[in-house]
Amino acid sequence: MKKICLNSINPFSECISYNSVSRVYRIDNDNVFKMFDYGHLISLLDNDYDIEENVLKGSRLVNDSNIVVPSSCVYRGRSFIGYTMPFIDGLSVMNYVNDSMSLGEITNLYSKLEAIVRKKENIVFPDMLTDGNILIDESGEVHFIDFDGLQISNYLTPAMSSGLGNRGIYDFTKYKNGRSFTKELDIKSLIYLYFSMVFDYPMEDLDNGCFDCSNEELLNDLFDYLGIEDNDLFNKVLRLYSDDSNQYLGNTVMDIADNYDLDVINNEYCYVKRLVRK
């Protein structure tokens, strides 16, 4: 991978996204530059997370057109400050999904996402649920663009989507092996993503639980609320909160699309997307 000086890509002016730890700049028609806050990089190094190493070495292990791989590391003097990568002209998955799409169309898109994540056994996508990390281009092709948010083999990332709830609940569980996330987390993320895409429902609410009811009771209420009468889906969601291994949704979502349509109702307080039998 090329190593380039920050001055070689100046000036850059169009900031296309930003947060408290990084900014992404459009630097030409084909590329963007992700620049990290230097204090953030130092803080990560103090906690044994090395984004520079992850980009330089982890990128060699990725050979998948659906994952956008950095093209160069950028330095200010001798200090790593960010990386460049190809620009993807697309919509985030949640902006791509719209009310005009049928349940079958949403299901096909979800299944495409699941297939990509499922086949990458050496990669975990702990920041999958963060809006904007998955883009869909005009041809319907899927792109995962958050490279430093990937855990590639032994190259760890501190990133984890807030859409998975309090990250502290994952320590010492099937979701983490020491400091490494497991593929169990990807399955949970995908199931949460399915509920977001189909129902606009924030599944992380269930991780908060309640003092006087079980996860099974909470799920029964949720499935009644959303009009879901599918035991396979119920059991796969329930496994997320147990010590049992998680299961990909797979054909379960296809069966639901074959037997249901989506309807939107007004329950006085808000509009709710629910399944209705065909």
Side-chain angles (χ1 to χ4, degrees):
M1 179 180 295
K2 293 188 298 183
K3 296 183 178 181
I4 63 176
C5 176
L6 177 62
N7 290 338
S8 69
I9 58 175
N10 276 335
F12 46 88
S13 57
E14 184 187 0
C15 180
I16 57 177
S17 71
Y18 65 92
N19 56 38
S20 61
V21 299
S22 67
R23 292 175 178 263
V24 178
Y25 294 93
R26 183 84 177 268
I27 54 178
D28 57 44
N29 288 335
D30 300 314
N31 297 280
V32 297
F33 167 43
K34 185 169 186 177
M35 183 169 69
F36 296 97
D37 174 78
Y38 192 65
H40 173 66
L41 292 175
I42 296 300
S43 175
L44 291 182
L45 286 171
D46 289 342
N47 289 281
D48 297 323
Y49 292 107
D50 190 339
I51 294 181
E52 178 187 8
E53 182 180 55
N54 291 3
V55 172
L56 286 171
K57 297 181 180 180
S59 59
R60 302 172 189 169
L61 305 177
V62 179
N63 184 21
D64 190 315
S65 61
N66 298 110
I67 298 176
V68 181
V69 177
S71 48
S72 67
C73 280
V74 182
Y75 295 81
R76 179 186 287 134
R78 296 184 178 181
S79 299
F80 171 80
I81 196 69
Y83 59 84
T84 64
M85 61 182 176
F87 169 71
I88 302 298
D89 188 8
L91 295 174
S92 71
V93 63
M94 293 311 300
N95 285 332
Y96 186 85
V97 173
N98 58 70
D99 292 340
S100 67
M101 293 178 71
S102 68
L103 179 59
E105 291 171 322
I106 298 172
T107 299
N108 288 337
L109 176 58
Y110 169 81
S111 295
K112 186 183 295 187
L113 289 165
E114 182 182 285
I116 294 167
V117 174
R118 190 170 186 168
K119 72 180 180 181
K120 306 307 294 183
E121 295 182 359
N122 68 324
I123 300 178
V124 181
F125 301 74
D127 209 20
M128 184 193 312
L129 296 179
T130 297
D131 188 41
N133 285 348
I134 304 173
L135 298 182
I136 316 297
D137 66 25
E138 62 180 7
S139 69
E141 192 68 22
V142 176
H143 304 271
F144 290 81
I145 65 169
D146 181 41
F147 191 84
D148 56 281
L150 302 180
Q151 176 183 289
I152 304 170
S153 294
N154 295 321
Y155 299 105
L156 306 183
T157 177
M160 183 177 179
S161 175
S162 60
L164 286 164
N166 181 356
R167 65 185 299 152
I169 67 176
Y170 294 93
D171 294 333
F172 310 108
T173 67
K174 63 185 176 183
Y175 294 105
K176 290 192 78 175
N177 180 12
R179 299 177 71 224
S180 301
F181 297 110
T182 69
K183 288 298 282 186
E184 300 280 354
L185 190 71
D186 279 348
I187 301 175
K188 184 173 183 179
S189 295
L190 283 165
I191 292 176
Y192 278 23
L193 183 59
Y194 175 77
F195 275 80
S196 291
M197 292 171 66
V198 175
F199 302 105
D200 289 334
Y201 187 84
M203 289 290 284
E204 68 267 24
D205 288 354
L206 272 70
D207 288 304
N208 298 324
C210 67
F211 293 109
D212 58 354
C213 54
S214 66
N215 284 325
E216 187 168 358
E217 290 172 318
L218 288 172
L219 277 182
N220 272 317
D221 290 343
L222 175 62
F223 274 52
D224 285 344
Y225 179 68
L226 299 177
I228 307 172
E229 300 174 359
D230 188 278
N231 288 332
D232 283 344
L233 182 59
F234 184 90
N235 291 330
K236 287 181 177 181
V237 177
L238 187 59
R239 293 175 80 96
L240 302 179
Y241 312 104
S242 73
D243 293 331
D244 296 327
S245 296
N246 294 339
Q247 295 179 343
Y248 288 98
L249 293 184
N251 289 333
T252 299
V253 296
M254 295 297 186
D255 292 340
I256 291 173
D258 286 342
N259 292 293
Y260 290 89
D261 287 318
L262 264 181
D263 192 17
V264 180
I265 65 167
N266 187 342
N267 72 347
E268 294 187 38
Y269 304 104
C270 62
Y271 288 98
V272 179
K273 291 184 178 180
R274 301 182 84 248
L275 296 183
V276 292
R277 284 199 174 271
K278 292 183 177 179

